[in-house]
Amino acid sequence: MKTYKIALLSGDGIGPEIATEAKKVLDVIQAQDKAQFECTEALFGGNAYLQTGKSFPRETIEACDAADAIIKGPIGLSKEESDKIPVDEQPERGALLPMRRRYDTFANYRPVYLPKSLAHFSPLKTEVVGDGIDLLMIRELVGGLYFGHKERGIDEQGQRFARETLEYDEGQISRILHVAFGEATKRKGILHNVHKSNVLLSSVLWNEVLEEVATEYPDIEVKHIIVDAAATALCLDPRQFDVMVMENMMGDILSDLGGGILGSLGLMPSACVGPEKAYYEPSHGSAPDIAGRGIANPYAMIGSVAMMLETSFGMVGEARAIWSALAGVFAAGFATADLGGEGATVLDTASFGDKVVERLVG
Ligand code: IPM
Ligand code: MG
């Protein structure tokens, strides 16, 4: 049996509650003798700063460096708490972006997935959702505005200004496009390229590189769509999409829209994959307003475990079992507080996790 080292960073807000449920799922898989998981828990985010003075403390860096994969909960404190932290140590700038940079996790997989049994959670009309939604957004995660040169100052007129740059080189573009073409090959053979080449020079370069990379994938049909039009199309007819690829900031925004058409960001797990290491996280925030009340939806955190098992450890069967257990709980007439759903019985965080576990145990 294989042993995998996992760094478990439960994060802030609802993070620890949903991390507990993710851990339950790992424990079941371990109890079934499918693999051995050595989990090291470590501080990351706002609470890490309050306890150690660093939002990505040295011990956490060491645990992550030593791990085969990282599971990360959401980070971020309430505005009042956050304001007490120096800007550079605030969890997003002080922990999350450094994590992405350190492990060069350029490929962000964000499945927008709503199987038939969950279709009633979508705010879209029944005829638009049909038998569900199943698309994969691929977001470039370590380039563009997030990582470009930034500066603040006072200009000649005495006005405060801020400047940040959206930069991509061809290597950064081609590696994410190869990931996207690869996924399109595994799925339906259609790739939607999301861009803004009518305005942004970075998109002009992106599309040029795409034409070159596309010659290596003659069987893939590429469709181009401008980012604002893509936002509308995702609401009106999401089923036209299968794999979508885009730069960092566009992916940040459209993937939240993805959560919107599912009915909740609580249904959005994700994988952030680099050349040597990957980390897995729900795409949603830490929801400090509901933290500690046991009502958070652990779906995205548990889904992130499934993505880790498949992507980092090649445990495809176990990942499928988790997906079907997650969908099975909803199909049985349950919901979590974020989803509502007419006539559904609302489960608290731990009960949802227990029901997933029941199904996995079979
Ligand atoms: C996400 C989040 C992050 C991002 C924040 C927390 C910095 O919104 O993963 O989508 O903007 O990338
Ligand atoms: Mg986001």
Side-chain angles (χ1 to χ4, degrees), residues 112-313:
V112 183
Y113 175 57
L114 198 71
K116 199 173 178 184
S117 60
L118 281 70
H120 57 288
F121 292 133
S122 173
L124 303 183
K125 288 188 191 129
T126 319
E127 60 269 28
V128 174
V129 179
D131 285 343
I133 299 171
D134 183 6
L135 63 95
L136 175 63
M137 291 191 185
I138 309 253
R139 166 188 180 194
E140 199 292 326
L141 199 60
V142 295
L145 283 169
Y146 280 59
F147 290 90
H149 173 75
K150 289 169 193 287
E151 85 183 89
R152 274 195 66 158
I154 310 268
D155 67 14
E156 288 99 57
Q157 284 83 43
Q159 294 204 76
R160 287 170 295 164
F161 75 90
R163 177 180 299 137
E164 25 214 344
T165 49
L166 202 180
E167 257 183 73
Y168 274 104
D169 65 32
E170 59 178 310
Q172 285 176 299
I173 298 171
S174 82
R175 68 176 181 170
I176 190 69
L177 290 175
H178 277 291
V179 168
F181 274 100
E183 290 304 314
T185 307
K186 287 191 231 154
R187 291 173 56 116
K188 294 188 183 154
I190 300 170
L191 176 62
H192 275 88
N193 175 47
V194 180
H195 65 92
K196 188 79 188 177
S197 70
N198 49 349
V199 175
L200 301 177
L201 213 48
S202 52
S203 282
V204 173
L205 175 64
W206 179 284
N207 291 354
E208 242 171 67
V209 175
L210 187 138
E211 294 308 325
E212 293 153 18
V213 172
T215 60
E216 295 178 45
Y217 303 87
D219 298 334
I220 302 297
E221 186 187 347
V222 176
K223 297 190 174 191
H224 297 278
I225 185 159
I226 296 183
V227 61
D228 47 355
T232 308
L234 275 164
C235 297
L236 297 183
D237 182 18
R239 284 181 296 161
Q240 71 187 275
F241 298 111
D242 191 53
V243 179
M244 304 174 81
V245 64
M246 62 209 88
E247 69 86 44
N248 201 348
M249 182 85 186
M250 295 179 195
D252 180 43
I253 297 168
L254 284 195
S255 62
D256 267 35
L257 200 156
I261 63 173
L262 299 186
S264 171
L265 270 182
L267 299 176
M268 291 280 291
S270 82
C272 309
V273 182
E276 266 138 45
K277 191 149 342 231
Y279 80 90
Y280 299 84
E281 63 177 356
S283 302
H284 59 71
S286 57
D289 51 324
I290 60 159
R293 291 170 50 197
I295 59 170
N297 179 0
Y299 178 102
M301 190 78 177
I302 298 174
S304 299
V305 168
M307 292 184 84
M308 173 186 75
L309 295 183
E310 175 163 354
T311 309
S312 283
F313 308 154

Side-chain angles (χ1 to χ4, degrees), residues 41-42 65 71 77 217 249 301 329 340:
E41 297 192 22
D65 283 356
I71 293 268
L77 304 174
Y217 303 87
M249 182 85 186
M301 190 78 177
V329 175

Side-chain angles (χ1 to χ4, degrees), residues 9-60:
L9 320 179
S10 60
D12 301 323
I14 58 171
E17 295 156 64
I18 58 177
T20 301
E21 304 315 306
K23 184 82 188 356
K24 276 186 195 164
V25 167
L26 282 172
D27 289 345
V28 175
I29 294 185
Q30 174 158 276
Q32 292 171 340
D33 290 337
K34 302 282 178 53
Q36 201 65 33
F37 301 118
E38 269 173 29
C39 287
T40 305
E41 297 192 22
L43 292 167
F44 187 75
N47 286 318
Y49 176 80
L50 297 178
Q51 288 180 45
T52 70
K54 287 269 166 212
S55 51
F56 193 7
R58 168 88 357 231
E59 269 182 25
T60 306

